[in-house]
């Protein structure tokens, strides 16, 4: 019998192989990458009993991504509701399900959230480059063909395990998908003191709109502009979630595929939990920033990690 | 050198050593890089040195915020600059030509130099590699002669060919792979900078030195260089 696989009958606009990301290589100029909504990604692997960093699919928007199975396989789906169906029947998110030989799985369009995660038994097979299978188009790194490209029509997906656990999500564990509004926690950075009082007030006391200039590198917010006394700064390392303020005063939140160093002043950085939430915000979503201390954020982070132990 | 420790994110701190770019910073940055790697060990997730700072991403499941700041401060308390001879010197052959270096004429004219004199100025300094960033293996180098310093292009190119050698203000760099970019491109090298697909290591590291050497088209081709002209800006 041939190897169990899923064939990509039709590639949507953006389905990427991702894991937790590429770490320990930032000093080489290599971006972090990895699942943008890492919480939904971890739940998808958890549902199948996979190792937490097993490679899965990050499906953005859907766009009629069509996958066909040649054998029975248990998969897990979390994150956004992209109107997924199996042979035309609606599929619930935050569960695992059996896809039988010959069945067709289609992701149509976002109904709630932006990115869905599809996990496979033992994780997807893909070559490991610099310690990760994460796929970054701009750096031509990772993915099925090591060129950073998203899934293409005709690609064949295979996985590492032959069987998987059949878990259900604990009560209350469903990652929240933002609807029209959401709140994003941010740790204030040291450069915040260079922002005018009025700008600091505006940063936290207005609803920012998620712009359509949003991708895995960065998400632009629009609203009343913020001004700092710093013009450009000497380029320095940029953390995940950095709230960067370019000269037009409109913040750019730097996400997983950000450049490793840059020279715009920063107000602070979203927590990793807030980054996961922002990764699910469709353009037009209104977001508010809320300050949190680094120590408080770490407590929340440790609680989140404990959910999987 | 005055050490400041700044909050950058939940589990990320910026170690700030200097306020302005200077080649003499690098001996301190390199020393701090090594001291932090040694002190943090397994708790270190990423460490990104740059011109004046080091970004420290630590594992907050192993260290609290307070533990991390204490550890970093004590690791850097008795810092002494690294030996400057530690970095490698790389000689990079470059084919300087208008077809692959479309700003060659413009930069020369702006500096009031002939093209040959510009090439000579670009080649007569051993540049310091300050940081890797922007793209994998992309080394920010400097400082170029003040007379030939040129601001970035007003409109960046959509596609800058791999191997392109450019300058922006007093910095110079080589594009490791095809990417967008706004630097003034003077020529092209055939030297590969980071072949990660072949499981290679980046050629340049912070603290290294780079000396450019002008070569002919024939030599560039013999080294396997791609002579396809730079795509027009759109």
């Amino acid at each position: 019998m041939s190897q169990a696989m899923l064939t990509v009958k039709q590639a949507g606009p953006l389905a990427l192989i991702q894991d937790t990301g590429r770490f320990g290589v930032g000093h080489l100029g290599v971006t972090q990458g990895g699942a943008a909504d890492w919480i939904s990604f971890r739940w998808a692997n958890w549902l199948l009993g996979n190792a937490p960093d097993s490679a899965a699919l990050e499906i953005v928007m859907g766009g009629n991504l069509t996958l066909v199975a040649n054998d029975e396989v248990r998969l897990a789906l979390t994150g956004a509701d992209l109107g997924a169906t199996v042979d035309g029947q609606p599929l619930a998110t935050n569960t695992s399900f059996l896809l039988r030989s010959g069945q067709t799985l289609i992701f149509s369009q976002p109904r709630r959230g932006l990115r869905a995660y599809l996990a496979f038994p033992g994780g997807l097979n893909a070559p490991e480059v610099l310690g990760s299978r994460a796929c970054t188009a701009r750096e031509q790194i990772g993915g099925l063909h090591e060129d950073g490209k998203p899934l293409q029509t005709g690609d064949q997906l295979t996985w590492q395990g032959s069987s998987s656990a059949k878990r259900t999500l604990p009560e209350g564990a469903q990652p929240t998908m933002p609807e029209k509004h959401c709140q994003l926690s941010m740790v204030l950075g040291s450069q915040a003191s260079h922002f005018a009082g009025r700008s600091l007030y505006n940063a936290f006391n207005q609803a920012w709109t998620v712009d359509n200039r949003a991708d895995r590198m960065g998400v632009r917010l629009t609203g009343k502009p913020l001004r700092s006394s710093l013009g450009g700064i000497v380029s320095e390392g940029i953390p995940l979630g950095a709230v960067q303020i370019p000269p037009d005063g409109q913040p750019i939140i730097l996400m997983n595929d950000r450049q490793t160093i840059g020279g715009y002043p920063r107000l602070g950085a979203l927590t990793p939990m807030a980054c996961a939430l922002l990764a699910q915000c469709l353009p037009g979503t209104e977001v508010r920033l809320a300050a949190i201390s680094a120590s408080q954020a770490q407590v929340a982070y440790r609680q989140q990690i404990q959910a999987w132990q | 050198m005055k050490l400041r420790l700044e909050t950058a994110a939940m589990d990320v701190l910026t170690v700030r050593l200097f306020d302005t770019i200077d080649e003499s910073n690098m001996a301190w940055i390199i020393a701090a890089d090594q001291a932090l790697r040694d002190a943090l060990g397994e708790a270190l997730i990423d460490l990104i040195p740059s011109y004046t700072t080091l970004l420290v991403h630590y594992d907050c499941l192993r260290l609290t915020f307070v533990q991390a700041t204490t550890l970093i401060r004590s690791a850097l308390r008795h810092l002494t600059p690294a030996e400057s001879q530690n970095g490698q010197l790389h000689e990079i052959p470059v084919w300087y030509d208008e077809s692959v270096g479309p700003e060659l004429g413009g930069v020369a004219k702006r500096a009031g130099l002939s093209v040959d004199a510009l090439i000579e100025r670009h080649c007569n300094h051993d540049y310091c590699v300050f940081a890797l960033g922007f793209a994998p293996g992309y080394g920010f180098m400097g400082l170029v002669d003040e007379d030939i310093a040129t601001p970035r292009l007003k409109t960046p190119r959509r596609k800058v060919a791999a191997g392109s050698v450019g300058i922006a203000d007093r910095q110079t760099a080589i594009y490791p792979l095809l990417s967008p970019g706004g630097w003034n491109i003077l020529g092209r090298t055939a030297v590969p900078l980071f072949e990660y697909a072949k499981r290679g290591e980046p050629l340049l590291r912070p603290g290294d030195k780079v000396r450019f050497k002008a070569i002919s088209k024939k030599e560039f081709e013999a080294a396997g260089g791609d002579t396809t002209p730079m795509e027009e800006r759109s």
Side-chain angles (χ1 to χ4, degrees):
Chain A
M1 201 194 90
S2 62
Q3 193 184 5
M5 64 174 79
L6 254 62
T7 302
V8 181
K9 282 286 173 202
Q10 186 185 326
L14 195 56
L16 300 165
I17 294 181
Q18 293 295 349
D19 56 18
T20 48
R22 213 163 252 116
F23 294 100
V25 288
H27 63 292
L28 308 181
V30 179
T31 196
Q32 171 183 338
D37 174 2
W38 59 279
I39 298 175
S40 294
F41 163 85
R42 290 267 314 239
W43 279 122
N45 277 322
W46 183 90
L47 282 167
L48 296 181
N50 287 346
D53 61 346
S54 304
L57 270 191
E58 177 175 289
I59 301 156
V60 187
M61 304 290 283
N64 291 323
L65 169 70
T66 306
L67 306 169
V68 179
N70 78 339
D71 199 355
E72 185 172 281
V73 59
R74 180 166 291 280
L75 306 173
L77 178 64
T78 62
D81 178 355
L82 300 182
T85 56
V86 172
D87 283 354
Q89 295 299 307
L91 188 62
T93 46
N94 293 316
T95 60
S96 73
F97 62 98
L98 267 185
L99 190 65
R100 297 202 159 81
S101 177
Q103 283 190 318
T104 303
L105 171 59
I106 299 180
F107 293 86
S108 57
Q109 57 184 335
R111 298 203 292 202
R112 200 168 172 183
L114 185 57
R115 294 180 157 90
Y117 292 88
L118 187 66
F120 296 74
L124 278 170
N125 283 320
E128 203 176 280
V129 187
L130 296 168
S132 165
R133 297 177 172 83
C135 180
T136 303
R138 180 170 48 84
E139 295 186 348
Q140 299 154 31
I141 196 166
L144 272 188
H145 309 293
E146 291 191 49
D147 53 7
K149 291 221 174 83
L151 285 196
Q152 307 288 310
T153 300
D155 277 348
Q156 293 178 325
L157 301 170
T158 62
W159 44 92
Q160 303 196 342
S162 50
S163 64
S164 51
K166 189 188 166 192
R167 292 178 175 168
T168 51
L169 234 58
E171 191 122 7
Q174 272 84 352
T176 37
M177 290 300 117
E179 288 202 274
K180 289 195 173 66
H181 313 274
C182 71
Q183 181 172 298
L184 303 173
S185 295
M186 180 181 85
V187 175
L188 269 182
S190 303
Q191 290 161 11
S193 58
H194 295 279
F195 285 81
R198 164 66 62 182
S199 284
L200 281 179
Y201 181 86
N202 283 339
F204 294 103
N205 293 285
Q206 69 170 314
W208 294 95
T209 305
V210 174
D211 196 61
N212 56 16
R213 288 167 295 173
D215 58 21
R216 288 180 45 86
M217 256 183 104
V219 176
R220 206 170 246 275
L221 305 180
T222 56
K224 277 177 256 173
L226 306 182
R227 303 275 174 233
S228 86
S229 57
L230 298 165
I233 57 170
V234 176
S235 285
E236 57 185 47
I238 308 174
L240 175 69
V243 181
Q244 175 179 274
I245 314 293
D248 69 359
Q250 306 291 300
I252 303 171
I253 317 284
L254 293 169
M255 303 292 279
N256 298 63
D257 288 0
R258 68 194 178 281
Q259 295 176 7
T260 50
I261 66 177
Y264 287 127
R266 302 192 305 256
L267 189 61
L270 298 191
T271 66
M273 291 71 77
C275 289
L277 196 57
L278 181 61
Q280 294 292 4
C281 289
L282 286 156
T285 307
E286 293 198 333
V287 299
R288 283 179 176 275
L289 300 175
I292 189 173
S293 74
S295 294
Q296 273 178 300
Q298 290 187 359
V299 171
Y301 178 77
R302 288 184 201 108
Q303 274 168 2
Q304 179 63 60
I305 298 290
Q306 264 165 18
W308 297 303
Q309 281 159 359
Chain B
M1 206 275 296
K2 184 172 143 247
L3 174 85
R4 283 146 292 169
L5 201 49
E6 302 175 355
T7 300
M10 177 191 83
D11 49 359
V12 187
L13 292 157
T14 301
V15 175
R16 189 172 304 283
L17 299 183
F18 302 97
D19 293 309
T20 51
I21 298 176
D22 197 286
E23 292 187 17
S24 67
N25 293 358
M26 289 318 288
W28 291 94
I29 299 279
I30 300 300
D33 185 273
Q34 195 54 54
L36 290 168
R37 283 185 188 281
D38 293 345
L40 287 151
E42 290 282 293
L44 185 68
I45 293 178
D46 257 300
L47 179 57
I48 305 179
S50 190
Y51 298 89
T52 54
T53 58
L54 300 105
L55 190 80
V56 186
H57 180 192
Y58 61 92
D59 184 351
C60 69
L61 299 177
R62 291 171 187 261
L63 294 175
T64 64
F65 176 78
V66 175
Q67 287 170 331
T69 49
T70 309
L71 192 58
I72 291 169
R73 279 193 189 286
S74 75
L76 301 178
R77 188 159 296 140
H78 303 294
L79 199 64
T80 52
E83 296 288 327
S84 60
Q85 302 88 321
N86 285 358
Q88 274 192 62
L89 174 67
H90 307 274
E91 192 176 68
I92 309 273
V94 178
W95 176 41
Y96 292 91
D97 188 84
E98 295 266 6
S99 65
V100 293
E103 276 75 57
L104 197 57
V107 171
K109 198 173 161 200
R110 195 174 179 280
L113 296 169
S114 67
V115 166
D116 285 344
L118 165 66
I119 295 168
E120 202 195 313
R121 292 282 182 100
H122 192 245
C123 290
N124 76 358
H125 184 71
D126 290 349
Y127 298 106
C128 175
V129 179
F130 289 110
L132 298 193
F134 176 69
Y138 186 103
F140 288 89
M141 298 178 262
L143 295 167
V144 302
D145 191 314
E146 234 160 326
D147 295 344
I148 64 168
T150 310
R152 284 174 175 77
L153 302 174
K154 284 208 175 66
T155 314
R157 275 193 180 80
R158 282 186 309 112
K159 288 178 177 176
V160 178
S164 293
V165 176
I167 62 175
D169 302 317
R170 294 194 65 194
Q171 301 183 83
T172 185
I174 310 163
Y175 285 76
L177 58 144
L178 181 75
S179 55
W183 290 37
N184 301 279
I185 306 302
L186 308 181
R188 197 179 288 175
T189 181
V191 174
L193 287 158
F194 193 3
E195 294 183 296
Y196 39 79
K198 295 182 189 163
R199 307 298 184 260
E201 293 283 315
L203 180 70
L204 307 177
R205 300 284 183 146
D208 284 359
K209 298 269 175 171
V210 167
R211 182 183 300 166
F212 294 108
K213 181 187 158 207
I215 56 168
S216 67
K217 183 180 187 184
K218 214 170 165 182
E219 289 170 298
F220 178 70
E221 282 178 314
D226 177 2
T227 55
T228 312
M230 185 80 88
E231 188 182 85
E232 283 301 307
R233 266 184 290 167
S234 56

